[in-house]
Amino acid sequence: KEIYMGDFKLTTVEEMEAATNRLLETGAKVGADAWQIRVKNQTPHCKFGEQGICCRICAMGPCRITPKAPRGICGCDAHGIVGRNYLKFTAGGAATHSDHGREICHTLYAADPNGAYKVKDPDKLIRIAKEWGVETEGKDIYDLAHEMAELALMEYGKPFGVQRWLKRAPEHTQKLWHDAEIEPRAIDREVATSLHMTHMGCSSKPEALVRQSLRAGLADGWGGSMCGTEFSDVLFGTPKPIDTEANLGVMNAENVNIVVHGHDPSLSEMVCEYADDPEMIAYAKSMGAKGITVSGVCCTSNEVAMRRGIPMAGNFLQQENVVLTGACEAIVVDVQCIFPALGPLSKCFHTKFITTSPIAQMPDSDYIRFDVGTAAEKAKQIVKTACENFKNRKPELVYIPDMKQKATVGYSLEALVKVLDGVTNSQVDVTGTTKPLLECVTSGVIRGAVAMVGCNNPKVRPDTAHIEMMKKLIANDIVVVASGCSAQAAAKAGLMDKAAKDLCGAGLKRVCELADIPPVLHMGSCVDISRMMILVAELAKDSGLKISQLPVVGCAPEWMSEKAVSIGNYVVATGIDTFLGVDPYVSGSSEMGEWLTNGVRDWVEAAYTVETDIDKLCDKMIERIEEKRTAIGI
Ligand code: MSK
């Protein structure tokens, strides 16, 4: 399965697994636990849970649906139970992304020209302010930042009206949302309403539960996540293409290794800032190291990779591997997707497991509470702690797999529009629009696009689905935009190296050459799927088509988190058919299955496809893209 092109060779999943096995041998020597072991202990999984037919929302149960007991004690049937569980899952995800977005708004509110957080993209701030009808003329940029932060924070709790960002959608989409009564109101309200609806004695009708799931999802994607992405760009800079590297080989045995993990760039940006400080580098040297290497895991990694070129050590299911190298002085985490296992695991090594957020506190960690007021001081403390820990390394446990790939990352919407301007002859007229991309699609040079997102999940051989599907898609001239751990899977394999163009069909290869881009485009972290929503909205407006007519689909082949379900809901609700490789615990209800894979199409012109056979999943996506092309006559 190895693919060589000149000096370029993709890293295979088999090679990654061999490296992991070698690390697990180290783990076994020190008595470390690992997810691979815990999966075995947890198998087989509870069938009731898997089908979503276990209910524990009141204390009369827990109730489980069986042929002999088709209703819970309150009389709720399988469809109501599955529906409530699905909505609760969505609400958890929407709350999580949106709270991340809220933290970013608070950081923006604290931005100060003389403080730790500055406005790095004032033009973007002004653009958004104008979009929101805020006067910008003659205003100090920091006054404007504070005013915009306050307005954004109001989006979370305003008593009346719907989300401001919805106006970015084409009018047709806005009308669909309005008619289906799924326009999200205040973000917190949609989360609270979801929890109200799923309380004992409220909704048990699948239709109502699915409708609210879409609405809560939209509150995330076109609300909280959009705040997170847009104001992160204002604070830390809008990503532009930048070169980096990916996989465990980015860690450096001679340096102090600090791994940042989680989601909120407010922490990781500061850690990177101080790790670069000559004073800190000198301090690391005084401790016997040659320097400091910061690398990342999960979405925090995406954030700092696309703005600073910080290398990506790995994705979700590789988080334990960074500790197993024996060369990690500190794994510093903020929020979301952090294994509690990192606590006991780090105790088997010299690694400091540093938690920083009141939202993600874990046993066996060193808690260095991080907040905007003390960011600089705490970041410095974290970097110093890591440097001081270098001397505690046990050299006999150090093994860093010699495995990394080059990657070009940082394709924000703004960057994408700019690079694709170079592809067509009409670039002079269309600078700043998606028209060059549309021309590639309508001419058939590119058949369509897939937004590949989401996590790893041990239910799918890790990274295989992401990598194999991406290879097949680009070979079929379908461009892939990726975010989250999917993006890291691509980068680890080498699919974000520009040399990977040779794996593409002739059309996409030509586009990659002309625009000087890799065939899989890194669009950021999980919250940045909002960038993809704006991209399709712009494509629809520029083409005069409905979003649902574009030859574009979404895919989360290895997803695992509540956030992914929230994302799925807003992607579908935006009019994009979405393909899942893992069932969202709805197989216990034919009615819920029908609503999600078909019924919602009447409201939003798109629906889910769930297919656990990855080959078939990919073929279905290609088929759907071709169907859409035929339907619009291209
Ligand atoms: S980090 S939600 S494992 S993509 Fe955003 Fe990765 Fe999924 Fe977390």
Side-chain angles (χ1 to χ4, degrees), residues 67-85:
K68 265 170 66 185
R71 287 180 185 271
I73 293 170
C74 70
C76 192
D77 63 10
H79 310 299
I81 291 174
V82 171
R84 289 194 302 222
N85 288 339

Side-chain angles (χ1 to χ4, degrees), residues 71-331:
R71 287 180 185 271
I73 293 170
C74 70
C76 192
D77 63 10
H79 310 299
I81 291 174
V82 171
R84 289 194 302 222
N85 288 339
Y86 184 80
L87 177 53
K88 267 184 184 290
F89 224 81
T90 306
T96 304
H97 270 154
S98 299
D99 211 33
H100 164 173
R102 184 192 334 250
E103 290 296 328
I104 296 294
C105 296
H106 277 292
T107 307
L108 184 65
Y109 190 76
D112 182 330
N114 303 310
Y117 297 103
K118 304 195 172 51
V119 171
K120 285 209 181 140
D121 192 342
D123 293 344
K124 184 153 187 172
L125 177 64
I126 291 168
R127 265 200 328 270
I128 301 170
K130 287 187 174 154
E131 188 184 328
W132 284 10
V134 172
E135 183 55 61
T136 58
E137 247 353 88
K139 218 173 255 176
D140 175 80
I141 200 72
Y142 282 86
D143 289 342
L144 183 63
H146 303 152
E147 187 179 344
M148 289 298 291
E150 208 169 337
L151 280 176
L153 286 164
M154 292 305 287
E155 290 300 293
Y156 286 79
K158 62 186 184 186
F160 306 108
V162 297
Q163 285 300 296
R164 286 172 181 272
W165 299 115
L166 303 189
K167 291 212 168 56
R168 288 182 162 190
E171 277 177 21
H172 173 75
T173 309
Q174 294 183 49
K175 184 169 180 324
L176 288 178
W177 292 338
H178 181 77
D179 293 348
E181 289 188 56
I182 55 171
E183 288 167 301
R185 300 156 296 179
I187 298 159
D188 290 349
R189 180 170 186 188
E190 298 309 351
V191 173
T193 297
S194 302
L195 295 180
H196 190 171
M197 286 178 76
T198 55
H199 190 273
M200 192 273 148
C202 288
S203 290
S204 51
K205 190 175 169 185
E207 178 183 342
L209 294 161
V210 169
R211 204 184 285 273
Q212 180 59 22
S213 298
L214 297 185
R215 196 174 204 179
L218 285 170
D220 168 359
W222 289 84
S225 275
M226 211 167 272
C227 285
T229 295
E230 296 296 80
F231 295 119
S232 288
D233 284 357
V234 168
L235 278 166
F236 307 118
T238 302
K240 299 187 191 84
I242 185 167
D243 291 336
T244 186
E245 292 178 324
N247 219 335
L248 288 168
V250 303
M251 294 173 73
N252 185 328
E254 293 177 325
N255 285 358
V256 169
N257 284 295
I258 302 175
V259 178
V260 290
H261 174 14
H263 284 76
D264 185 341
S266 307
L267 168 74
S268 46
E269 278 283 332
M270 283 299 124
V271 170
C272 293
E273 194 78 38
Y274 280 93
D276 246 3
D277 185 336
E279 188 198 329
M280 284 294 115
I281 294 169
Y283 194 59
K285 287 183 177 163
S286 76
M287 295 291 153
K290 288 210 166 144
I292 303 174
T293 296
V294 181
S295 59
V297 168
C298 279
C299 282
T300 262
S301 174
N302 288 318
E303 298 278 0
V304 287
M306 65 182 173
R307 294 198 179 90
R308 291 175 175 263
I310 295 290
M312 304 187 272
N315 50 0
F316 179 62
L317 284 180
Q318 237 174 324
Q319 59 184 284
E320 289 172 301
N321 287 13
V322 297
V323 179
L324 287 167
T325 61
C328 174
E329 274 57 56
I331 179 159

Side-chain angles (χ1 to χ4, degrees), residues 97 262-263 298-299 302 315-316 336-337 453-456 483-486 488 525-526 560-561 563-564:
H97 270 154
H263 284 76
C298 279
C299 282
N302 288 318
N315 50 0
F316 179 62
Q336 304 166 26
C337 303
V453 305
C455 332
N456 303 126
S483 74
C485 291
S486 181
Q488 289 164 341
S525 63
C526 316
M560 64 84 207
S561 75
K563 290 180 290 173

Side-chain angles (χ1 to χ4, degrees), residues 230-521:
E230 296 296 80
F231 295 119
S232 288
D233 284 357
V234 168
L235 278 166
F236 307 118
T238 302
K240 299 187 191 84
I242 185 167
D243 291 336
T244 186
E245 292 178 324
N247 219 335
L248 288 168
V250 303
M251 294 173 73
N252 185 328
E254 293 177 325
N255 285 358
V256 169
N257 284 295
I258 302 175
V259 178
V260 290
H261 174 14
H263 284 76
D264 185 341
S266 307
L267 168 74
S268 46
E269 278 283 332
M270 283 299 124
V271 170
C272 293
E273 194 78 38
Y274 280 93
D276 246 3
D277 185 336
E279 188 198 329
M280 284 294 115
I281 294 169
Y283 194 59
K285 287 183 177 163
S286 76
M287 295 291 153
K290 288 210 166 144
I292 303 174
T293 296
V294 181
S295 59
V297 168
C298 279
C299 282
T300 262
S301 174
N302 288 318
E303 298 278 0
V304 287
M306 65 182 173
R307 294 198 179 90
R308 291 175 175 263
I310 295 290
M312 304 187 272
N315 50 0
F316 179 62
L317 284 180
Q318 237 174 324
Q319 59 184 284
E320 289 172 301
N321 287 13
V322 297
V323 179
L324 287 167
T325 61
C328 174
E329 274 57 56
I331 179 159
V332 190
V333 304
D334 50 83
V335 290
Q336 304 166 26
C337 303
I338 301 145
F339 273 0
L342 292 178
L345 177 62
S346 61
K347 295 277 176 251
C348 298
F349 292 85
H350 74 302
T351 306
K352 296 267 183 207
F353 174 41
I354 301 177
T355 49
T356 59
S357 167
I359 287 170
Q361 302 182 52
M362 297 190 188
D364 298 315
S365 69
D366 292 1
Y367 183 44
I368 301 181
R369 186 172 175 164
F370 191 85
D371 53 58
V372 281
T374 58
E377 178 195 318
K378 295 292 175 67
K380 203 167 176 182
Q381 184 189 344
I382 288 167
V383 175
K384 273 186 96 176
T385 304
C387 292
E388 285 157 10
N389 199 23
F390 184 78
K391 60 180 183 303
N392 297 323
R393 251 195 214 177
K394 297 181 184 112
E396 68 282 10
L397 295 181
V398 173
Y399 169 72
I400 300 175
D402 181 18
M403 185 175 277
K404 63 180 175 183
Q405 287 280 6
K406 284 194 239 157
T408 305
V409 301
Y411 292 94
S412 58
L413 176 62
E414 291 86 337
L416 202 55
V417 165
K418 201 164 171 215
V419 294
L420 287 170
D421 264 358
V423 180
T424 64
N425 293 328
S426 54
Q427 73 265 33
V428 178
D429 299 318
V430 294
T431 303
T433 76
T434 62
K435 284 186 182 160
L437 180 55
L438 280 168
E439 278 187 31
C440 294
V441 174
T442 46
S443 65
V445 173
I446 296 178
R447 305 300 296 172
V450 173
M452 289 278 278
V453 305
C455 332
N456 303 126
N457 185 328
K459 285 181 179 163
V460 181
R461 187 179 177 190
D463 293 332
T464 316
H466 293 297
I467 295 169
E468 293 306 319
M469 289 170 92
M470 286 177 191
K471 278 161 54 184
K472 190 162 181 176
L473 292 167
I474 62 173
N476 281 281
D477 287 325
I478 294 169
V479 68
V480 176
V481 291
S483 74
C485 291
S486 181
Q488 289 164 341
K492 285 192 298 174
L495 289 163
M496 286 180 172
D497 187 327
K498 290 175 185 170
K501 67 177 175 13
D502 290 333
L503 296 170
C504 300
L508 181 56
K509 182 177 175 182
R510 184 89 185 110
V511 173
C512 289
E513 281 167 351
L514 285 171
D516 193 28
I517 54 172
V520 178
L521 296 164

